[in-house]
Amino acid sequence: MGDKSAYSLGNILQKVVALPVRAARPLVTLRLVRFHTPYGFMLRCPLYYVLRREEEEDSGRRYLDVVFWSGPTPDREFSEFWRRQIPLLPEFLQRILWKPLHVIAWYWQQSAVMKNHVIDLTFGKNHVSASMNSSDYHAASFIEHRDELKLQSCLESLGVEPNSRIALIHVRNSSHDVQTGTSDDYDVNYANASPQNFQIAVNHLIAEGFSVLTVGNHATSPSGLEGVTEYHKSAQRTPMLDFLIGKRADLFLGTTAGALSGVAFHFRLPSLLTNHLIWNS
């Protein structure tokens, strides 16, 4: 990646691929779209890509997007779900092509001529949208019957009544980062929060008839909250269900730092997010 020699293999490859891409510009704009693989990015990258695609519908331009994970497929089930909605590479091509596409995208980003052929969502700073709160997008439209059955089975196993209102709560701590090794890259404790600060809110929601389900954090980490259903520690938990559970939720409470606030954005849940809020994100 760091070799900028005009004769490097990566540079030659990107130049060869760029030729037909530039020739096709009058008819269609081909773009490489990079998604990052940590779970928070698995939620947010598709969200901001879909919002961007909505904004471009009236532009009059024709786009052919090649969407790929910037690494091995992070979760097969969740990736298959998104492949039903957006042009993610098929799994066998993802395994073969993600490294060459990653290199090509890197070179194109350095080029004034080709940089418009890359949408890089591997950086949080690119997770912004002027239409974030005005878009018609709602992930519920993507949910199929098989997804509904999976969600229903999970909630039944947790003892959640079929007609109860559900509040999701994520009080972030660094347990997931410590378990997955993220803590070696940066200080993960800056966005930690105290469960005690949320107990009054939990008590109020329970008194109002809500089932309060914990989401986020590592399964080995207790929530520190009384009266909640600890979905995050349950045997049923999967990355796909972490997402689907937003379909049945009525509101989201907690800290915006951390992956699961992305569920609230996807399902347009009324949310109270207490820290690290970035406007238009």
Side-chain angles (χ1 to χ4, degrees):
M1 291 290 289
D3 184 4
K4 299 180 182 179
S5 166
Y7 301 102
S8 70
L9 182 60
N11 200 10
I12 294 171
L13 175 64
Q14 67 88 12
K15 287 181 177 179
V16 170
V17 176
L19 289 174
V21 171
R22 293 173 65 178
R25 276 180 188 166
L27 300 175
V28 62
T29 301
L30 183 142
R31 299 182 299 191
L32 301 182
V33 183
R34 296 172 62 204
F35 284 0
H36 209 4
T37 55
Y39 189 70
F41 286 85
M42 288 174 64
L43 288 169
R44 294 175 189 250
C45 291
L47 170 65
Y48 288 100
Y49 173 70
V50 171
L51 290 175
R52 177 169 183 151
R53 197 171 62 178
E54 281 188 354
E55 294 167 1
E56 293 172 341
E57 285 180 355
D58 298 326
S59 68
R61 291 288 305 169
R62 291 186 60 195
Y63 295 102
L64 176 61
D65 291 341
V66 177
V67 187
F68 65 101
W69 300 106
S70 60
T73 303
D75 181 82
R76 297 288 173 83
E77 184 182 28
F78 203 27
S79 185
E80 285 300 323
F81 171 83
W82 284 118
R83 194 171 285 117
R84 301 193 320 238
Q85 328 305 333
I86 59 182
L88 266 170
L89 283 180
E91 172 60 24
F92 75 97
L93 289 178
Q94 170 70 29
R95 291 196 303 268
I96 298 170
L97 295 180
W98 79 263
K99 287 184 179 180
L101 291 175
H102 184 78
V103 171
I104 292 169
W106 183 86
Y107 275 101
W108 286 4
Q109 285 175 295
Q110 322 306 314
S111 166
V113 176
M114 297 302 296
K115 64 181 180 181
N116 290 334
H117 291 273
V118 180
I119 300 174
D120 192 347
L121 293 170
T122 63
F123 296 105
K125 66 181 181 180
N126 294 332
H127 296 176
V128 295
S129 171
S131 63
M132 182 68 197
N133 292 312
S134 60
S135 172
D136 292 332
Y137 168 73
H138 195 299
S141 63
F142 296 159
I143 305 300
E144 297 183 352
H145 182 61
R146 56 180 165 169
D147 303 319
E148 294 270 13
L149 292 177
K150 187 176 300 183
L151 174 59
Q152 180 181 339
S153 175
C154 173
L155 293 176
E156 287 176 356
S157 69
L158 294 171
V160 177
E161 294 295 329
N163 296 321
S164 66
R165 292 182 294 172
I166 294 177
L168 303 179
I169 184 166
H170 177 214
V171 183
R172 185 196 188 279
N173 63 49
S174 59
S175 61
H176 179 79
D177 302 307
V178 170
Q179 291 286 339
T180 57
T182 311
S183 56
D184 296 333
D185 300 325
Y186 59 91
D187 181 6
V188 298
N189 296 305
Y190 77 98
N192 283 352
S194 170
Q196 289 77 16
N197 293 337
F198 290 85
Q199 188 63 57
I200 294 175
V202 170
N203 294 344
H204 175 72
L205 289 169
I206 292 173
E208 291 294 319
F210 281 86
S211 295
V212 182
L213 274 60
T214 61
V215 294
N217 294 337
H218 197 268
T220 59
S221 175
S223 68
L225 295 166
E226 298 178 1
V228 298
T229 299
E230 290 193 323
Y231 159 76
H232 83 281
K233 295 182 66 176
S234 69
Q236 291 76 23
R237 182 184 181 185
T238 66
M240 183 66 179
L241 278 170
D242 278 357
F243 175 76
L244 289 178
I245 207 165
K247 172 68 163 54
R248 272 282 282 112
D250 296 279
L251 60 89
F252 184 96
L253 172 68
T255 49
T256 186
L260 268 295
S261 58
V263 172
F265 302 154
H266 273 289
F267 290 97
R268 301 309 199 198
L269 300 179
S271 305
L272 176 60
L273 303 174
T274 62
N275 68 338
H276 202 64
L277 187 62
I278 303 171
W279 297 111
N280 285 338
S281 71

